[in-house]
Amino acid sequence: MAMMNSSSALTLFCCFTIFLQFLSVNSRDSPPLAPALYVFGDSLFDSGNNNLLPTLAKANYLPYGMNFPKGVTGRFTDGRTVPDFIAEYLRLPYSPPSISVRTLVPLTGLNYASGVCGILPETGSLFGKCLNLDDQIELFRLTVELKLVTSFGSKKELSEYLSKSIFIFSIGNNDYINNYLLPLLYDSSKRYTPQQFAQLLVGRLSQGLKNLYILGARKMIVFELGPIGCMPWITRRSKKGQGKCDEEANSLVSHFNNDLGSMLKGLTSTLSGSTFVLGHVNWLGYDAIKNPSNYGLRDTSTSCCNSWLNGTATCIPFGKPCANTNEHFFWDGFHLTEAVSSLVANACINGSSVCLPMNMEGLLKI
């Protein structure tokens, strides 16, 4: 399904009447819909933090970024990510990698997401240093207490700014991919049942969200985990036949997703003035994989770029990708193409069945 992004829609709208042309109103001149966008998570949201960390998990080479206006940035996809499309809708700049900002902190938001990391501190450690959930929240605390506080005249102004800003999360994928599903390297699958592991992850995430609330965050969107059993990393290794989703792996994350929804409802009811939105995307991803033509897709089982390990891992540097990236679901063995990120973002912004209990438009009205 080809979707017009918010920036294009605003431009067309601004050119629709002579009156608007006369006033020179366009997406750049109009005020932003929120003061800032703060991004947390893993490689689905990473905008380049891993470029500056001693880790093997990097996307700082072509063909990554081949469809992104600025080229290679460290995004683990061909173009824009879900946070990028949300930033465009909010009329904000793309949130830059937090550890790349050395002096003046932009008041329009930062990105703390880090590839291969997760909720648990040990997740992703085999690849080097990355920013786990606790690291990301600690960096945000330092941003608020050491940098943002000097940009506002009073604590009340800072509090109002943070309460109106948008915070988005996509984290937990690697706790399964790079932890629970690697029994030779991690013992988590021996120590915890699937239900216990999900409870562990959601409990740690809940505490992290509470810490952000204490720091001033009020509007938070937390995306659930997608159907990881349909990733080429799993399907092309599966004994059930290449291209077929591993439903056992999908059922693992269903425990996490079910607990996540209940947890977010509980936080909204107990933390005064907060609104926690569930990004209910698992069904959307699964439906797009099973019914690709309904979404303008053609290939939902193989990676678009030429990937290591028989198409199951990250892109081989400078390899030639597929011809029609917008028809593919997977960019490499793990990550989405820009086309799918656009689908997810737009469904959350103004749809009725992805971001619950309200979409982005509704969240901004609070």
Side-chain angles (χ1 to χ4, degrees):
M1 180 185 298
M3 287 194 175
M4 181 182 298
N5 63 46
S6 59
S7 178
S8 299
L10 282 166
T11 302
L12 289 175
F13 177 78
C14 293
C15 296
F16 188 69
T17 66
I18 296 176
F19 176 70
L20 289 179
Q21 290 177 354
F22 175 76
L23 293 178
S24 300
V25 177
N26 55 42
S27 60
R28 288 175 294 181
D29 294 332
S30 300
L33 301 180
L37 175 65
Y38 287 97
V39 182
F40 301 80
D42 51 32
S43 54
L44 291 177
F45 280 11
D46 190 350
S47 62
N49 280 305
N50 274 26
N51 288 352
L52 303 172
L53 294 171
T55 174
L56 297 175
K58 296 181 186 292
N60 57 351
Y61 57 87
L62 289 171
Y64 290 108
M66 60 173 287
N67 293 322
F68 192 72
K70 297 181 181 180
V72 179
T73 60
R75 287 167 169 80
F76 289 78
T77 182
D78 60 306
R80 289 165 289 182
T81 62
V82 170
D84 293 330
F85 285 108
I86 291 177
E88 290 178 1
Y89 168 73
L90 295 175
R91 304 171 192 158
L92 292 170
Y94 300 144
S95 302
S98 63
I99 58 177
S100 71
V101 178
R102 301 296 184 185
T103 53
L104 187 64
V105 174
L107 297 182
T108 52
L110 289 170
N111 185 313
Y112 300 88
S114 179
V116 306
C117 251
I119 296 172
L120 301 179
E122 63 268 25
T123 295
S125 60
L126 293 173
F127 298 91
K129 172 61 180 175
C130 58
L131 305 175
N132 60 51
L133 177 64
D134 290 343
D135 292 332
Q136 294 178 35
I137 294 176
E138 173 62 12
L139 285 173
F140 178 72
R141 183 188 69 80
L142 294 174
T143 299
V144 173
E145 297 181 357
L146 299 182
K147 298 177 180 179
L148 289 180
V149 70
T150 63
S151 300
F152 293 87
S154 65
K155 289 185 178 180
K156 181 179 180 181
E157 290 180 5
L158 174 59
S159 177
E160 184 177 358
Y161 158 82
L162 290 172
S163 69
K164 293 181 179 179
S165 296
I166 303 296
F167 295 75
I168 60 174
F169 289 78
S170 175
I171 198 164
N173 295 285
N174 290 313
D175 294 293
Y176 287 95
I177 298 169
N178 291 320
N179 189 328
Y180 199 79
L181 292 173
L182 295 178
L184 297 179
L185 301 174
Y186 292 93
D187 65 353
S188 54
S189 61
K190 301 179 181 69
R191 295 168 55 200
Y192 304 102
T193 66
Q195 294 87 346
Q196 290 171 337
F197 191 65
Q199 290 169 1
L200 172 66
L201 296 179
V202 172
R204 292 281 190 93
L205 178 57
S206 175
Q207 186 57 55
L209 297 175
K210 290 176 183 177
N211 290 340
L212 279 178
Y213 175 85
I214 293 172
L215 291 169
R218 292 295 181 269
K219 298 181 179 182
M220 302 185 227
I221 301 176
V222 185
F223 288 92
E224 65 184 11
L225 306 186
I228 65 171
C230 300
M231 291 178 173
W233 180 77
I234 291 180
T235 61
R236 292 178 70 84
R237 297 162 177 248
S238 175
K239 298 178 181 178
K240 300 177 181 179
Q242 290 190 6
K244 294 183 179 180
C245 294
D246 186 328
E247 300 303 343
E248 291 182 10
N250 284 337
S251 68
L252 280 178
V253 300
S254 69
H255 297 295
F256 176 93
N257 291 340
N258 291 336
D259 290 348
L260 176 65
S262 300
M263 180 266 282
L264 295 178
K265 288 181 181 178
L267 290 181
T268 298
S269 64
T270 57
L271 299 179
S272 177
S274 70
T275 303
F276 290 86
V277 173
L278 171 66
H280 185 42
V281 293
N282 185 283
W283 75 269
L284 178 63
Y286 192 80
D287 191 54
I289 289 169
K290 292 297 183 179
N291 303 289
S293 61
N294 293 344
Y295 300 89
L297 302 172
R298 181 178 54 83
D299 188 324
T300 58
S301 62
T302 61
S303 61
C304 177
C305 75
N306 187 17
S307 307
W308 298 105
L309 302 177
N310 190 32
T312 64
T314 52
C315 300
I316 297 173
F318 308 107
K320 185 177 181 180
C322 62
N324 300 308
T325 58
N326 61 339
E327 294 181 354
H328 277 247
F329 189 97
F330 292 104
W331 170 244
D332 57 18
F334 307 95
H335 304 103
L336 312 176
T337 58
E338 179 185 74
V340 178
S341 291
S342 174
L343 172 69
V344 171
N346 279 284
C348 180
I349 289 169
N350 51 37
S352 59
S353 56
V354 169
C355 282
L356 305 171
M358 66 191 71
N359 58 24
M360 178 77 71
E361 291 179 344
L363 184 62
L364 292 171
K365 296 176 181 177
I366 296 177

